[in-house]
Each structure stands twice: as C-alpha cells, then as structure tokens.
C-alpha cells in the first residue's frame, strides 16, 4: 500500500505543477511509465475489485444496467453474456461514463478480432494506407498479409505486412480527418454484425433505438498512442459513444471539459467496453500507452479460449478457422485493436447544407441544378436494415 500511495501522491503532485496543462503532464507521465513499477499504482483496474484510487479525486461506483432491455437470446446472438451477469462501473465526477469489464462469452472475441483484421479493413471502407497507395494495392490487406503474419515468429526480421502498417479504418459515414466532419455523400453500408452488437450494448446502458452509423477502428502497436481529443463531430451528442477493446491492454485517460483538469487513469483490457454519454460524452480523453504483456509476446488469457464449434443459427457471430485465428493471434501478440461506434444524426435529422463556394455564388439556379448530384447531396443516406 505504501508504494501505491506514493505513486498516487506523485501523480497528484505532477498534475498540480504550473506550466504545461495537467492532462498533457499526465499523458507524458504514463507514456514514459515503466510496467511492473509503482508508476502504474494509481491506475484503476476495473477487472479486479475496483477501489477508490487513481488521482484520489474520483471514486469507483457501481452502475445500474437495464437488464430487461436485452433478452438473453439477443445477447447470445452478439456473443455476449446475459446482461444480468455483466459488471458495470462508473466514476464519481463523471456522470454518463460506464465501464463494462469483458462481458463477452468465452471465445466470442475471436469473431470481432477477425472482423477488424479480415473484413472491416477491406474496401469500400477507408484506411490510412489509402493516402499512400492505390485502391488496388489496398483492396484486400488480409490476403496480402496473412502469410507474413502466420509465420511471424519464424522470421521476426521481415518487413512489416500491410496489416501491421494499418492505423485506422472508418466505417459507415466516413470521418474526414481534415475537415473533422461527416457528410451524406461519404458513406458506405455499416457492418450489420457490429451494428447489432452496438445496439445491444447501448440498450443495456439505457439507450434504446441507438443507430450505429459511423465507426472508427484504431490499430495500435506497442509504441502507439492516441492523442488528447474530444469526439464532437457527430451532430447528435445525446447518443453515446461506444468503445470496444481487443488484444493487449492499454491505459486510458479520461479528463474534463478543459485540459487544465487532471484526468483519471484506467486500464483497458481485452473485451472491455466503455460507454461515454451525457456529461462524459464531450470530455477530453486519450491513450498514452499500450502495455506489453508481462509474459512477453503472448495473448491475454481471455483470448486463449477458442470460439465454440456450435454457434446460434440466427447469430451475427461466424466461425473462425484455425488458420485465420493463427494470423489474428500473431498480430495481437504485439498489438491492440479498438472499435468506436457512434450515431451521427438524430432520428429524422439531415446533414446541414454546406456553404456555397464563393466563386459559385453567382451561378443561376438553372445552372446550379445541373451540378453533379453527388456534390449537392444533402439528405441523410438512409441505412438499409438488411445490409
């Protein structure tokens, strides 16, 4: 306890120092932290019996879930335990924040990992590699990478495969990293299995009718970080932000509305789900550190259990071959994948009209109507429930 108290005290002192904003200071502290030392003594671990620690300013509390909103069959279809068996926590001072330690059924994480690496990375979805390569070169990252990853341990000095160079993929309404906006004409069908999973989790947290419309998948290496930011580009902030983690553990920092507020640090382990809603929906947050497994290049224990041979006939989870999981497992030994899912628009809401460019303001209405429909599309791209 003495070492833990010292770690908490040093973190609090660091955050109180003048100059650099408090969030940035703690981001740097955890970025440079040493696993297995007192550096991580102030990080909340929801997977064990959580106690009030961290910055000392926030206490862990139990969160109530809406057990009756998701029946056991639908939970099973998504690969989840019955909601009555989930554990859910919140933090005093962060209303609307819910942390659910791994609610997945044994083996079912395999499906979601495989989808992130094999299916969601395919075209027409968009990824960071598109800026440097042609569509043909990024058409199927899995096929181009699987043999490299399958024999990764045999030849560790080989160049990184394309999947190992992947940093992000966008789904549904594709986020524009330059304009920080979504648009109706930049859309591809959202994956139906991920939409179903997200709807069940949102309903369990009290958000009936949640529509999964946009997703950002982040692919982390052991040296990766996610900078301090706020997710505010969605037009409807009344709906939650859902976050799913798989693979190696990481440290997540949840701060305040301003960066001069010191954040609270917590571990995210494989299978953990975070929900940011209400007040917490627009708070600063970041990931300063992905933590290497203390046993070396190995998988978290929860990923060692295989996917059951018999799956629900009407479920969204598909079988995963031994060969496919070998590729996924080798990838995850030194990596982490995170899926964030958002509802962009309120029900029956359309994207706003974009301002007309200055040089086009004098065009007559007749001429304006002749412009390409793609450039003038402002209506909501309706989701196909069967897609």
């Amino acid at each position: 306890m003495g070492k833990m108290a010292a770690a908490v005290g040093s973190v609090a002192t660091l955050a109180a120092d003048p100059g650099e904003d408090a969030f940035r200071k703690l981001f740097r502290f955890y970025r440079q932290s040493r696993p297995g030392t007192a550096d991580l003594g102030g990080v909340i671990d929801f997977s064990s019996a959580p106690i009030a620690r961290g910055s000392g300013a926030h206490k862990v509390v139990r969160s109530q879930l809406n057990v009756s909103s998701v029946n056991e069959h639908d939970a099973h279809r998504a690969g989840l335990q019955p909601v009555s068996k989930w554990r859910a926590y919140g933090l005093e001072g962060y209303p609307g924040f819910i942390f659910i330690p791994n609610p997945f059924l044994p083996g079912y994480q395999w499906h979601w990992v495989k989808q992130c690496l094999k299916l969601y990375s395919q075209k027409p979805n968009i990824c960071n590699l598109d800026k440097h390569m042609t569509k043909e070169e990024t058409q199927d990252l899995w096929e181009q990478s699987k043999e490299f990853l399958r024999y990764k341990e045999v030849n560790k000095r080989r160049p990184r495969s394309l999947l190992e160079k992947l940093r992000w993929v966008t789904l549904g309404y594709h986020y524009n990293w330059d304009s920080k906006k979504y648009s109706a004409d930049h859309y591809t069908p959202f994956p139906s299995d991920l939409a179903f999973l997200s709807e069940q989790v949102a309903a369990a947290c009290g958000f009936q009718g949640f529509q999964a419309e946009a997703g950002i998948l982040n692919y982390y290496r052991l040296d990766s970080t996610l900078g301090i930011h706020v997710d505010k580009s969605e037009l409807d902030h009344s709906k939650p932000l859902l976050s799913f983690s798989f693979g190696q553990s990481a440290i997540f920092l949840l701060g305040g509305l301003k960066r001069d507020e010191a954040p609270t640090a917590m571990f995210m382990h494989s299978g953990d789900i975070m929900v940011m809603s209400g007040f917490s929906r627009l708070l600063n947050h970041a990931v300063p550190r992905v933590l290497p497994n203390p046993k070396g290049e190995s998988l978290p224990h929860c990923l060692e259990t295989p996917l059951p041979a018999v799956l629900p006939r009407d479920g969204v989870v598909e079988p995963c071959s031994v060969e496919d999981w070998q590729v996924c497992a080798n990838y995850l030994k030194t990596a982490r994948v995170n899926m964030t899912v958002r509802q962009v628009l309120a029900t029956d809401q359309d994207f706003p009209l974009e301002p007309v460019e200055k040089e086009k303001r004098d065009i007559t209405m007749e001429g304006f109507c002749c412009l390409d429909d793609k450039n003038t599309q402002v209506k909501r791209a309706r989701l196909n429930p069967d897609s």
Side-chain angles (χ1 to χ4, degrees), residues 51-125:
I51 59 175
R53 55 180 181 169
S55 66
H58 304 285
K59 293 182 179 180
V60 175
V61 296
R62 291 299 295 260
S63 290
Q64 296 298 317
L65 296 174
N66 192 341
V67 176
S68 62
S69 64
V70 180
N71 62 55
E72 289 191 19
H73 180 66
D74 282 343
H76 193 185
R77 289 176 62 199
L80 297 165
Q81 300 179 46
V83 177
S84 60
K85 295 185 177 181
W86 297 9
R87 292 177 297 135
Y89 301 98
L91 293 170
E92 288 185 359
Y94 294 113
F97 176 75
I98 303 173
F99 195 107
I100 306 170
N102 186 13
F104 289 93
L105 289 163
Y108 279 79
Q109 289 187 54
W110 280 28
H111 169 81
W112 300 108
V113 171
K114 184 190 70 171
Q115 295 298 81
C116 288
L117 295 177
K118 185 175 182 178
L119 183 64
Y120 301 158
S121 62
Q122 292 185 17
K123 293 290 167 280
N125 297 328

Side-chain angles (χ1 to χ4, degrees), residues 287-308:
V287 177
R289 185 72 189 269
V290 178
L291 300 168
N293 194 306
K295 297 180 181 180
E297 291 191 7
S298 59
L299 291 177
H301 179 69
C302 62
L303 290 175
E304 295 175 352
T305 303
L307 190 65

Side-chain angles (χ1 to χ4, degrees), residues 201-362:
V201 172
C205 293
F207 296 93
Q208 297 281 3
F210 175 82
Q211 297 183 51
E213 296 178 325
I216 297 179
L217 313 183
N218 287 312
Y219 299 78
Y220 294 79
R221 309 304 300 173
L222 292 180
D223 58 353
S224 299
T225 64
L226 179 67
I228 306 168
H229 69 286
V230 175
D231 291 292
K232 59 183 179 181
S233 297
E234 296 73 31
L235 277 66
D236 183 9
H237 295 155
S238 68
K239 299 299 188 292
L241 173 72
L242 310 180
S243 174
F244 304 85
S245 294
F246 303 106
Q248 299 302 321
S249 300
I251 297 173
F252 179 79
L253 298 180
L254 181 63
L257 295 172
K258 298 180 179 179
R259 284 172 44 158
D260 59 2
E261 298 179 49
T264 295
M266 62 201 79
F267 290 114
M268 288 189 297
H269 301 302
S270 191
D272 290 350
I273 300 174
M274 289 192 309
V275 179
M276 296 173 67
S277 66
F279 172 80
S280 295
R281 177 65 176 77
L282 297 176
L283 296 182
N284 283 284
H285 54 278
V287 177
R289 185 72 189 269
V290 178
L291 300 168
N293 194 306
K295 297 180 181 180
E297 291 191 7
S298 59
L299 291 177
H301 179 69
C302 62
L303 290 175
E304 295 175 352
T305 303
L307 190 65
V310 179
L311 302 171
R313 289 187 176 182
D314 58 348
V316 300
V317 175
E318 301 173 349
C320 180
S321 69
V322 174
E323 293 76 13
D324 281 355
W325 183 246
Q326 184 180 17
V327 175
C328 295
N330 278 343
Y331 176 89
L332 285 185
K333 286 177 181 177
T334 56
R336 168 180 178 262
V337 179
N338 179 256
M339 310 186 300
T340 58
V341 181
R342 309 107 188 281
Q343 178 170 334
V344 177
L345 300 167
T347 305
D348 296 326
Q349 181 183 17
D350 294 330
F351 283 98
L353 287 166
E354 291 294 331
V356 180
E357 296 178 21
K358 184 176 181 180
E359 60 269 22
K360 295 181 180 178
R361 289 177 180 170
D362 295 328

Side-chain angles (χ1 to χ4, degrees), residues 169-216:
V169 168
T170 54
L171 312 170
Y173 289 121
H174 295 285
Y175 185 67
N176 186 314
W177 300 94
D178 296 322
S179 66
K180 311 296 184 187
K181 294 181 179 180
Y182 301 94
S183 66
D185 59 355
H186 202 198
Y187 173 84
T188 55
F190 193 92
S192 58
D193 57 347
L194 182 53
F196 185 78
L197 170 68
S198 302
E199 289 161 9
Q200 308 317 304
V201 172
C205 293
F207 296 93
Q208 297 281 3
F210 175 82
Q211 297 183 51
E213 296 178 325
I216 297 179

